[in-house]
Amino acid sequence: MSESSAQLIDGKVYAERLREKVAEQVAALKRDHGLQPGLAVVLVGDDPASQIYVRSKGEQSLAAGMHSVTHRLPEDTTQAELERLVAELNVDPLIHGILVQLPLPKHLDEKPVLAMLNPDKDVDGLTVANAGRLASGLPALVPCTPMGCMILLRDVLGDLTGKRAVVVGRSVLVGRPIAQLLLQADCTVTIAHSRTADLPAVCREADILVAAVGRPRMIKGDWIKPGAAVIDVGINRVPFDDPIKAAEGRTKVVGDVDFKQASRVAGWLTPAPGGVGPMTVAVLLQNTVTAAKMQAGLA
């Protein structure tokens, strides 16, 4: 294998394509059914990363022709105030998708908030109802990041039947749902995590390796089967490698995979940033259109 053998999976290109499709669907729904898909994003407090995500979600939903509302609540919002807003959005006929931006400030409990979300408007796929539908193989609103990963995998690999897939990480947001989606695609799936015995050996069995652990550059080159498709979901801020920049306190974003090492071994590899991230917002828009169609009784 050559020094850098991996083909990069450019999430920005795929996201652009998906956003174009979404804009076409939105235009068709308006034209044929007088229906404008509506997305409400709820942001509590001023977490900088969340601010960026929320702005991007708002801009992209408007660009796709959707009705888009962002509710920015102050840091000291009470549990009752947040739940009252979600209850209002649940019954608002102009809103088809509701997204509560996580993490919430420390004094708020996300569990009851998610529990009261109308599952048909749960475009993040976080309610127990949607998790259960997904696990049972029923139509569901699926979490955006895993769905984005599947779109990338299907495009580069085609049919996934019979492939060995290893998912490192068991979070409700990424690890578990992507394992369910890979199972539905007829892969043989292992969910590994921090307690897995001989994790490198388990990873080396994978034709498809999904890293979603939140630990910077944890997956090394020699953990990867040559030619495997590697999807890096991690977003970790670390000091620059350059000691001068690091001393200035400057940071950069890296994934859960050691990119330099992995690119010499993998067949396909998502960069971080620029791989899975752009897909997440594009799938959110697609989920909102799907939710609007479901609520209007359209196939």
Side-chain angles (χ1 to χ4, degrees):
M1 289 217 152
S2 63
E3 179 62 15
S4 181
S5 62
Q7 289 186 45
L8 282 195
I9 304 173
D10 186 345
K12 294 193 281 289
V13 172
Y14 290 93
E16 182 61 40
R17 233 181 269 169
L18 182 53
R19 285 200 302 271
E20 282 169 13
K21 276 191 201 151
V22 168
E24 285 165 16
Q25 292 174 58
V26 170
L29 284 172
K30 282 186 193 165
R31 185 184 64 237
D32 302 340
H33 303 280
L35 174 65
Q36 183 180 30
L39 172 66
V41 179
V42 179
L43 173 65
V44 187
D46 38 33
D47 176 71
S50 292
Q51 295 269 11
I52 293 166
Y53 284 134
V54 165
R55 186 163 40 235
S56 153
K57 286 165 182 171
E59 286 168 359
Q60 291 189 31
S61 52
L62 285 171
M66 293 184 180
H67 171 56
S68 176
V69 188
T70 302
H71 293 272
R72 296 173 187 275
L73 305 180
E75 182 81 26
D76 60 0
T77 297
T78 65
Q79 188 81 23
E81 287 167 335
L82 176 57
E83 289 181 13
R84 193 178 316 126
L85 173 61
V86 170
E88 286 167 12
L89 294 172
N90 271 344
V91 295
D92 185 338
L94 298 180
I95 297 299
H96 304 99
I98 304 168
L99 183 143
V100 178
Q101 183 68 41
L102 302 178
L104 292 172
K106 294 275 187 287
H107 67 282
L108 296 173
D109 185 358
E110 69 191 52
K111 286 198 180 70
V113 177
L114 295 177
M116 66 180 291
L117 260 187
N118 177 348
D120 294 339
K121 294 189 177 188
D122 166 32
V123 282
D124 241 351
L126 286 177
T127 54
V128 171
N130 276 317
R133 287 173 189 168
L134 176 61
S136 307
L138 297 170
L141 289 169
V142 178
C144 303
T145 300
M147 195 66 160
C149 295
M150 291 301 291
I151 292 169
L152 298 177
L153 282 168
R154 282 215 170 87
D155 200 87
V156 297
L157 298 179
D159 185 12
L160 306 182
T161 301
K163 298 210 180 290
R164 295 291 301 272
V166 173
V167 179
V168 187
R170 50 183 165 179
S171 71
V172 176
L173 196 55
V174 182
R176 293 173 198 230
I178 195 157
Q180 297 287 356
L181 290 169
L182 288 161
L183 266 179
Q184 285 179 18
D186 297 318
C187 294
T188 302
V189 182
T190 302
I191 302 184
H193 44 78
S194 57
R195 303 286 175 86
T196 299
D198 200 355
L199 183 56
V202 173
C203 292
R204 271 192 291 273
E205 293 174 1
D207 305 310
I208 296 168
L209 181 60
V210 180
V213 272
R215 290 171 65 180
R217 298 174 178 150
M218 174 179 161
I219 309 280
K220 302 300 178 192
D222 60 2
W223 295 27
I224 297 168
K225 178 181 183 176
V230 180
I231 303 287
D232 187 353
V233 183
I235 301 176
N236 309 287
R237 281 215 163 271
V238 298
F240 264 92
D241 299 332
D242 175 336
I244 295 170
K245 288 180 180 171
E248 291 168 355
R250 290 168 66 183
T251 61
K252 62 176 179 177
V253 173
V254 300
D256 292 347
V257 176
D258 190 313
F259 183 81
K260 277 184 185 154
Q261 292 185 16
S263 61
R264 296 186 192 120
V265 188
W268 293 269
L269 177 61
T270 59
V276 173
M279 289 300 291
T280 300
V281 182
V283 173
L284 171 69
L285 304 183
Q286 179 64 68
N287 275 357
T288 305
V289 171
T290 302
K293 285 182 178 171
M294 278 169 29
Q295 288 160 49
L298 303 169

